[in-house]
Amino acid sequence: MKRYRKFILSAVVTAMLLSDCSADKGEVYPETQQSRDSTVITEEAVTVITETETADAETATAITTEETAEETEEEFICADNQLLYEDSYFSVLMEFTGAQELTEYPDAAECYEYRKKDHVLHTVFTVTNNSMKEFDFVPESIIIYAAEKNSSWYMMPNTVYDIGIERADSCFRLKPEQQITVKLDFVCERECIEHADEIKYIDIKAGLSEDIVFSELKNKYIPKRLHITDRLAVKKAVSAALDKE
């Protein structure tokens, strides 16, 4: 029994030595070679796929970023006759669509509130609630100021009924994310349109509209944030209406 065990042990040792020698000579069994080759191919394939996918993803991201930037830029570019006020509470896009002599509206020209040499400034105001609060917006609270040398003017939306021009006759309560569009006509001297330099939402305690209770307005501080003092921007946008006469 001892000789048999010694023979087995000797055979095992011999096999291990042969194996080491074969490895030293660079000889690899076919199965082992195939396994290593497969591993190499798999690693290379994974590397190529990963690099390609990464490049595609980076390209797609770059394209998406450029498109988004272009869309954002286009969204905030105003025409010559437009002004945009925007903050975290609300935004107002003001478009000055044209100007005409008051005499083109006979009923308005006969109105004692205005003078026949006055002009009508046509506008469209789009108001959007960007906040999570409701607020009341009163169009007749908007005032446009103008100045040139030692002269100054101001104009407010028309509030007179039935004279052929748009009237600011309502109060709008905007819910979160709600948007309204209002047409307003301002009546003023031509010089006021030519030299407009400031737009403001004023805090008036009472108005000409009988259907508005100013003491009960909700979150009045929000629309009061509308105040544009960029003289050149205001003049450019408002006076552009004269080109559409």
Side-chain angles (χ1 to χ4, degrees):
M1 290 293 291
K2 290 182 180 179
R3 291 180 180 178
Y4 182 69
R5 289 179 179 175
K6 189 177 292 186
F7 174 76
I8 294 176
L9 179 60
S10 177
V12 171
V13 172
T14 302
M16 292 176 63
L17 290 173
L18 288 173
S19 176
D20 290 341
C21 291
S22 297
D24 290 341
K25 293 179 180 179
E27 296 176 1
V28 182
Y29 292 110
E31 292 182 0
T32 305
Q33 180 68 49
Q34 182 178 1
S35 176
R36 290 184 180 179
D37 290 344
S38 298
T39 303
V40 172
I41 292 173
T42 302
E43 289 176 351
E44 290 178 352
V46 170
T47 302
V48 172
I49 292 172
T50 303
E51 290 178 353
T52 303
E53 289 180 345
T54 302
D56 291 343
E58 291 176 351
T59 302
T61 302
I63 293 174
T64 303
T65 302
E66 290 177 1
E67 290 178 348
T68 302
E70 289 177 359
E71 291 175 359
T72 303
E73 184 180 359
E74 290 177 359
E75 183 180 352
F76 292 100
I77 292 178
C78 293
D80 288 345
N81 67 325
Q82 293 178 329
L83 279 174
L84 175 65
Y85 172 87
E86 186 173 43
D87 62 26
S88 58
Y89 288 93
F90 79 122
S91 63
V92 183
L93 177 62
M94 294 156 272
E95 184 174 5
F96 304 92
T97 56
Q100 295 173 293
E101 294 183 0
L102 187 65
T103 52
E104 296 188 30
Y105 300 91
D107 291 337
E110 295 299 325
C111 184
Y112 72 89
E113 283 90 346
Y114 303 126
R115 298 172 297 180
K116 291 184 178 181
K117 68 175 184 178
D118 284 341
H119 277 60
V120 180
L121 173 66
H122 305 295
T123 72
V124 178
F125 280 62
T126 301
V127 185
T128 306
N129 186 349
N130 299 330
S131 72
M132 298 305 294
K133 297 181 179 181
E134 291 184 339
F135 68 85
D136 291 327
F137 184 84
V138 183
E140 70 177 65
S141 294
I142 299 170
I143 184 169
I144 302 176
Y145 297 96
E148 172 66 9
K149 296 182 179 180
N150 296 324
S151 300
S152 61
W153 305 267
Y154 72 89
M155 50 182 157
M156 298 180 69
N158 170 57
T159 57
V160 183
Y161 284 101
D162 303 326
I163 58 174
I165 59 178
E166 297 289 345
R167 178 182 185 273
D169 61 350
S170 300
C171 171
F172 299 91
R173 177 160 294 179
L174 279 76
K175 297 179 180 180
E177 299 184 357
Q178 183 179 357
Q179 182 180 89
I180 61 166
T181 298
V182 185
K183 290 184 178 181
L184 300 173
D185 280 344
F186 294 76
V187 181
C188 57
E189 297 179 33
R190 180 185 175 90
E191 290 82 358
C192 192
I193 301 175
E194 292 176 339
H195 304 294
D197 60 6
E198 181 181 358
I199 299 177
K200 187 176 183 179
Y201 186 98
I202 61 176
D203 184 18
I204 53 180
K205 306 301 181 183
L208 299 175
S209 299
E210 299 177 357
D211 58 339
I212 299 176
V213 182
F214 285 81
S215 60
E216 298 179 1
L217 295 180
K218 190 170 185 178
N219 292 323
K220 294 188 292 183
Y221 72 93
I222 292 181
K224 281 173 57 179
R225 299 172 68 89
L226 174 59
H227 189 192
I228 302 178
T229 58
D230 187 334
R231 298 172 61 91
L232 294 178
V234 173
K235 182 176 181 177
K236 177 182 178 182
V238 177
S239 62
L242 294 170
D243 297 333
K244 301 179 182 297
E245 285 185 301

